[in-house]
Amino acid sequence: MMKQSLISSAIVTALFSSNVFAADVKGKILDNNNQPVSGAKVHLHGKSQSVTTDKNGQFTINVDADSQLHITKNNYLDERLPVTTDNAYVTVVLKPSAVESMVVYASALHKNNVEMASPVTVLAGDELKNAAKPTLGETLKGQPGINASYFGPVSSSPIIRGLDGPRVKITQNGLDSSDASRVGPDHANTNDSLSAQQIEVLRGPATLLYGSGAIGGVVNVVDNRIPTDIIESLSGAAEYSHDTVSNTNTYAAMLETGSDGFNFHFDGVSRKGGDYDTPEFNLPHEEHDEHGEDDHDAHDDHGHEGEHDDHNESPETAKKVDNTFIDSQQVNFGTSYVNEHLTLGLSFGRIDTDYGIPAHSHEGHDHDEHDHEGHEHDEHEGEDDHADESAEQGVFARVKQDRWQALFNYSLHNEWIESINVRAGYTDYEHSEIEHGSIGTTFKNKTTELRTGIEHRIGEWHGIVGYHYADSDYKADGAEAFTPATETKSHALFLLEERTFGDFTLELGARIEDFQLSSLVTTEAHHDDHDDHGDDDHDDHGHDDHDDHKEYESVAYQLDMTNISASIGGVYNFTEGHNVAFNVSRSERAPLTAELLSNGTHIATRTYELGLGYVIEDGEVHFEPQEIAQETATNIDFSVRRFIGDFGYTINVFYNDVANYYYQQNTGLMFTSEHGIENADHFHEGALPVFKFASDDAELYGVELDAHYRINDKNRVKVFADTLTAKLDNDQYLPRIPSNKLGVKYEYEHAGWKANMTITRYNSQSDIAAYESKTNGYTLVDTSFQYDFSAQGIDFVGYANIDNLTNELGFVHSSFIKEQAPLPGRNLKLGLRAYF
């Protein structure tokens, strides 16, 4: 009992003791020209909040124990300064960075992007606001190593080094976005770039903190919905912009205020636009082929041209992509209480979005006839603004999401435990696909997530140990519910530690995750009753004329896996402003619902999809999920950085060896609702190719470059590039791998004016899978102008962006619908932003 009391006393002392001697430390932040730096963040290591320098570069912060000040400012090198309660005044000089330098919130250990062992890109400030598009994919696609899936501009997800979907974790303030974007490329993610403070992209596996869904990387959207600093006055921002290519109007607003440690935050975005214009392009034949004409005139299901009855027939062209409108509203409220040691906050966000789904054809597919058993279509409540549009153009999606987030952070600032952090989230997501005023399919996803971490310092080691819980309840109901309802749970313990040896910092990490997927899988059996009619037993296609009596049985299926991930990395600062970094990681993940249990028609991709758990025997589909192996990635990253002076660069080289890589394989079979799965030789109108998920070993490798040269105070040049090779061990290339790109950006800044021009060359892509076609290269020229000014005590930013200045026709190889949806044509975006 005495021993237990001593242990309890030690724990209580560690958790709640702090030095009663506290004092305010004042200081000033200067640049290398001895000019004050305003807006720099001053953070006391181990505390939950920070202070910001005023226009004179001055700050005051409370210090209650010997600690370290961490001073950060975008595009300056971080400074760390030991302080005690005896320090009355400190002066800190920040050195400018030759590359963008920003604190990465997703790092968990307060590092900036030039200090991390794994490569990171951060987009923030006016650069982010001006680049903001309706989707993360379009916002980030110009960064080295990052591309977009592009199912039209309003449904485009990030691709990191050729990996996307279930391999890329998209988070908001460190918690999963919890939408349905992993189920299909036509499903948009729900993060809006315009309301973000910064967007962070962690390349390579980030599974240690974020789970097995981050085997390819993490995109973390950081906002201030739960304020973590003490707000003492009213501040806000408002913005309006107009895009000519789609006649889109966007409104955004943000408001923050606080008193006595209680803070309040509001932000909202409204965006409404029509179908987007493109340079003239040839429509794929099936897009304009009339029913009843010879279907062999169209491209066959393997992407090859069929025989034409009229070889002189001119292809039909278009100058816009139909059904790409957007009508979106998003509001977020947050509140918090912050004092010297405690941050406690809660936020709520609501999204209501309608967006068109291009190339979403239902030819040969009748909702009423082939709907899932027991499903009835629901009519719209009230008038639908897009009912007439959908009747003419196709299907559109209606997204509704409610999202709650909570934050608890207690900073102890004692010898062992620095802080305890808890983040929790609950998301209720619903996505209905609507055609002719009726709901065809509804996807729902309710998720609960909890992440807790204890930041500590034990001897020379500084790190975080934590627990991560996630529960996702996914359902799909309707004509295109090709995946069954599934509940996915995971429990994980993780550890991340670092230690500095002079100029070298070593990082070690590990995670063990218990993954459980459970579903009720419906299997189908056919019993044939043959008629005795001699030669009449065969139809025109040679099939038996019979009645199929379908019987269904439900099988309770559960997948249990233990995913183990580990990493070792380091950063060596071999001279001032230069370092090399390496990171070696091994990450495991289990298949998700779409990869494992798909069994049905996916109209958006115009395929019939089968998951890993199914086998095809003599045209019959059987559920046999016994041999499911984990996907295991061994990733090596090596980076060289120079980030001081007028010339800076980052070069990343990576190699990713993946065992049991999950991918979709063309079976060579075709599917129709009438005839089922057959050999492709039996041609039927509306037949869809059958794609089945398979697993094989694969390797992905490449190089990324980001270089900056500051010519003088007014002029700067940036060069960026990436290359990627991705293929299976049998030397077959993986499908939809983004093409390599090379770009140059020129920036000019003087007396409140900013201007830039970016020229990006996307190379042709001929490293393709057997069923793909080559994609030609294209060059995009983008330019922007910005002017900062003040009036009536309000700071304004006026800007004009011209995207695709030369009106280049470009097709995105990584898109499922590249031929139906080329990139937008020339676009003039005019905007005005105000800060008060």
Side-chain angles (χ1 to χ4, degrees):
M1 292 294 293
M2 182 176 294
K3 183 177 180 180
Q4 291 179 346
S5 298
L6 290 173
I7 294 174
S8 301
S9 299
I11 293 174
V12 171
T13 301
L15 289 177
F16 299 106
S17 65
S18 62
N19 197 323
V20 296
F21 301 103
D24 285 340
V25 172
K26 297 183 178 181
K28 189 171 186 178
I29 310 299
L30 304 172
D31 63 18
N32 58 343
N33 294 319
N34 286 324
Q35 296 300 308
V37 177
S38 63
K41 275 202 167 186
V42 182
H43 174 257
L44 189 67
H45 192 69
K47 288 295 185 72
S48 61
Q49 77 281 351
S50 58
V51 297
T52 303
T53 57
D54 61 20
K55 63 181 180 180
N56 297 315
Q58 296 180 339
F59 70 92
T60 301
I61 193 168
N62 183 268
V63 177
D64 57 10
D66 293 353
S67 187
Q68 183 186 74
L69 289 182
H70 183 194
I71 300 99
T72 62
K73 171 73 174 177
N74 291 353
N75 300 321
Y76 287 87
L77 299 180
D78 288 14
E79 286 290 340
R80 290 174 170 83
L81 179 70
V83 292
T84 69
T85 55
D86 295 330
N87 286 116
Y89 195 88
V90 296
T91 301
V92 181
V93 177
L94 294 182
K95 297 177 182 178
S97 174
V99 299
E100 287 90 351
S101 174
M102 304 175 200
V103 173
V104 181
Y105 292 90
S107 71
L109 295 177
H110 322 294
K111 291 182 173 294
N112 69 28
N113 53 308
V114 298
E115 298 174 321
M116 294 188 62
S118 56
V120 180
T121 292
V122 182
L123 200 60
D126 284 337
E127 183 181 5
L128 170 59
K129 301 299 182 186
N130 292 347
K133 299 292 193 298
T135 61
L136 289 178
E138 293 305 288
T139 300
L140 297 169
K141 68 180 183 180
Q143 305 300 316
I146 306 169
N147 290 276
S149 60
Y150 201 75
F151 211 94
V154 295
S155 181
S156 182
S157 296
I159 299 174
I160 303 177
R161 295 175 170 178
L163 302 177
D164 64 345
R167 297 181 180 90
V168 171
K169 192 86 162 181
I170 299 178
T171 64
Q172 189 166 8
N173 300 316
L175 297 179
D176 198 315
S177 294
S178 304
D179 48 40
S181 58
R182 296 183 183 185
V183 178
D186 56 320
H187 299 173
N189 52 61
T190 54
N191 304 89
D192 197 294
S193 308
L194 207 56
S195 61
Q197 285 186 323
Q198 67 184 49
I199 300 177
E200 307 162 347
V201 182
L202 282 67
R203 298 178 184 83
T207 56
L208 300 179
L209 293 176
Y210 296 98
S212 55
I215 201 167
V218 167
V219 178
N220 185 41
V221 179
V222 181
D223 55 46
N224 200 39
R225 293 180 188 179
I226 301 178
T228 56
D229 294 330
I230 296 175
I231 302 174
E232 298 178 341
S233 61
L234 177 67
S235 64
E239 180 173 358
Y240 166 76
S241 66
H242 176 78
D243 288 86
T244 60
V245 76
S246 58
N247 197 30
T248 296
N249 293 302
T250 303
Y251 305 84
M254 186 274 291
L255 185 69
E256 290 183 338
T257 188
S259 178
D260 296 328
F262 290 94
N263 307 308
F264 174 79
H265 171 95
F266 163 80
D267 70 73
V269 178
S270 176
R271 181 182 284 110
K272 188 171 184 177
D275 299 341
Y276 71 89
D277 297 327
T278 69
E280 187 173 30
F281 69 101
N282 294 333
L283 286 169
H285 197 77
E286 61 267 21
E287 289 295 302
H288 57 86
D289 189 33
E290 294 182 3
H291 302 295
E293 292 185 2
D294 189 353
D295 283 293
H296 289 280
D297 288 346
H299 287 57
D300 69 21
D301 292 289
H302 298 284
H304 303 295
E305 294 184 4
E307 296 294 329
H308 288 266
D309 292 334
D310 185 359
H311 294 281
N312 297 320
E313 181 183 352
S314 298
E316 187 174 339
T317 63
K319 291 186 176 181
K320 76 166 49 178
V321 177
D322 291 335
N323 204 27
T324 53
F325 67 87
I326 186 171
D327 187 355
S328 175
Q329 291 77 41
Q330 179 179 149
V331 292
N332 301 287
F333 300 90
T335 186
S336 66
Y337 173 72
V338 179
N339 64 23
E340 287 298 317
H341 292 272
L342 175 68
T343 299
L344 185 64
L346 182 69
S347 71
F348 170 75
R350 178 69 188 265
I351 297 173
D352 286 286
T353 298
D354 290 358
Y355 68 88
I357 306 176
H360 202 297
S361 170
H362 287 270
E363 182 179 343
H365 184 83
D366 190 324
H367 282 288
D368 296 330
E369 186 174 340
H370 302 294
D371 206 352
H372 280 204
E373 186 176 353
H375 176 74
E376 296 181 359
H377 294 300
D378 299 323
E379 297 296 326
H380 272 298
E381 297 179 4
E383 296 294 325
D384 192 307
D385 293 337
H386 301 297
D388 293 336
E389 287 187 63
S390 65
E392 296 178 2
Q393 297 181 346
V395 179
F396 72 91
R398 171 156 291 164
V399 176
K400 295 182 181 295
Q401 178 177 282
D402 291 335
R403 183 176 176 87
W404 294 87
Q405 282 189 314
L407 170 66
F408 168 83
N409 192 94
Y410 190 80
S411 301
L412 290 85
H413 203 166
N414 67 29
E415 186 176 353
W416 299 332
I417 299 177
E418 295 186 343
S419 66
I420 300 172
N421 182 277
V422 180
R423 285 191 180 271
Y426 173 76
T427 303
D428 186 356
Y429 172 92
E430 182 176 307
H431 163 182
S432 297
E433 295 184 354
I434 299 169
E435 183 179 19
H436 304 302
S438 296
I439 297 177
T441 309
T442 297
F443 301 87
K444 297 181 179 180
N445 191 18
K446 294 183 178 181
T447 63
T448 303
E449 188 173 8
L450 173 71
R451 182 194 305 279
T452 181
I454 299 175
E455 187 176 353
H456 57 268
R457 189 175 293 275
I458 302 175
E460 298 297 322
W461 289 92
H462 172 225
I464 184 169
V465 60
Y467 165 74
H468 184 198
Y469 166 77
D471 182 0
S472 172
D473 188 3
Y474 164 81
K475 293 180 181 178
D477 182 25
E480 296 177 29
F482 59 95
T483 53
T486 308
E487 184 173 12
T488 306
K489 289 184 179 181
S490 65
H491 300 266
L493 296 174
F494 61 87
L495 177 69
L496 184 63
E497 299 289 335
E498 66 172 7
R499 181 176 177 179
T500 300
F501 302 87
D503 293 325
F504 177 73
T505 300
L506 176 68
E507 292 186 9
L508 301 174
R511 179 187 179 99
I512 182 168
E513 176 183 272
D514 176 52
F515 178 91
Q516 183 181 97
L517 181 150
S518 57
S519 180
L520 198 62
V521 179
T522 301
T523 60
E524 177 184 316
H526 292 275
H527 298 281
D528 300 339
D529 294 331
H530 291 272
D531 296 327
D532 295 323
H533 296 296
D535 293 338
D536 293 335
D537 285 348
H538 299 279
D539 65 16
D540 294 336
H541 298 284
H543 299 291
D544 289 337
D545 184 17
H546 58 264
D547 295 325
D548 289 342
H549 300 287
K550 297 181 180 180
E551 294 183 0
Y552 298 89
E553 60 179 358
S554 296
V555 178
Y557 173 71
Q558 183 166 304
L559 175 70
D560 288 292
M561 284 187 171
T562 300
N563 299 317
I564 299 175
S565 301
S567 71
I568 179 171
V571 179
Y572 175 51
N573 297 290
F574 57 91
T575 188
E576 184 181 15
H578 300 72
N579 68 31
V580 294
F582 75 92
N583 194 65
V584 180
S585 62
R586 184 183 184 276
S587 306
E588 296 179 342
R589 81 173 182 98
L592 297 187
T593 305
E595 298 167 308
L596 180 62
L597 302 178
S598 294
N599 183 10
T601 301
H602 192 180
I603 298 299
T605 60
R606 299 184 178 186
T607 59
Y608 188 93
E609 295 188 5
L610 282 173
L612 290 163
Y614 291 90
V615 296
I616 304 173
E617 295 178 353
D618 299 325
E620 297 288 335
V621 175
H622 302 283
F623 185 61
E624 298 180 5
Q626 291 81 10
E627 301 295 331
I628 304 295
Q630 288 158 305
E631 185 178 271
T632 304
T634 302
N635 188 84
I636 302 173
D637 259 298
F638 181 78
S639 301
V640 181
R641 307 178 183 123
R642 174 191 169 103
F643 44 89
I644 195 170
D646 294 330
F647 176 58
Y649 57 83
T650 300
I651 302 173
N652 303 320
V653 181
F654 68 92
Y655 176 79
N656 195 3
D657 185 23
V658 188
N660 302 313
Y661 182 90
Y662 308 142
Y663 69 103
Q664 285 185 307
Q665 187 178 63
N666 190 348
T667 63
L669 302 173
M670 307 297 291
F671 171 84
T672 58
S673 57
E674 181 181 359
H675 301 281
I677 295 177
E678 296 182 306
N679 191 285
D681 294 336
H682 296 105
F683 182 85
H684 298 290
E685 180 181 356
L688 297 175
V690 178
F691 278 73
K692 184 185 179 306
F693 277 94
S695 65
D696 203 345
D697 295 344
E699 57 180 9
L700 301 91
Y701 52 90
V703 180
E704 299 155 352
L705 168 68
D706 189 5
H708 303 246
Y709 178 61
R710 180 176 172 271
I711 301 172
N712 52 40
D713 291 341
K714 300 177 183 178
N715 298 276
R716 189 176 183 181
V717 176
K718 175 181 177 180
V719 176
F720 57 93
D722 59 40
T723 67
L724 172 67
T725 300
K727 56 185 179 181
L728 300 170
D729 276 6
N730 58 13
D731 280 337
Q732 294 182 3
Y733 289 102
L734 291 171
R736 289 177 297 280
I737 293 301
S739 60
N740 301 332
K741 63 175 179 280
L742 171 65
V744 59
K745 182 177 184 179
Y746 166 73
E747 298 175 331
Y748 174 83
E749 181 176 353
H750 178 64
W753 286 96
K754 296 179 182 178
N756 67 66
M757 176 176 284
T758 305
I759 303 173
T760 308
R761 174 63 184 176
Y762 291 84
N763 293 341
S764 62
Q765 181 58 286
S766 56
D767 295 340
I768 55 178
Y771 54 87
E772 289 187 298
S773 60
K774 176 184 175 181
T775 303
N776 292 330
Y778 54 93
T779 301
L780 297 182
V781 180
D782 305 319
T783 186
S784 72
F785 304 90
Q786 176 180 317
Y787 180 60
D788 300 351
F789 62 98
S790 298
Q792 302 297 319
I794 300 175
D795 295 328
F796 290 92
V797 177
Y799 62 92
N801 299 343
I802 305 177
D803 299 328
N804 196 2
L805 179 65
T806 60
N807 204 36
E808 179 91 342
L809 179 62
F811 296 92
V812 182
H813 184 76
S814 53
S815 172
F816 274 88
I817 56 170
K818 70 172 182 178
E819 294 181 351
Q820 295 97 329
L823 290 170
R826 183 186 299 110
N827 176 43
L828 172 61
K829 179 180 181 180
L830 298 173
L832 181 65
R833 192 177 305 123
Y835 300 94
F836 61 90

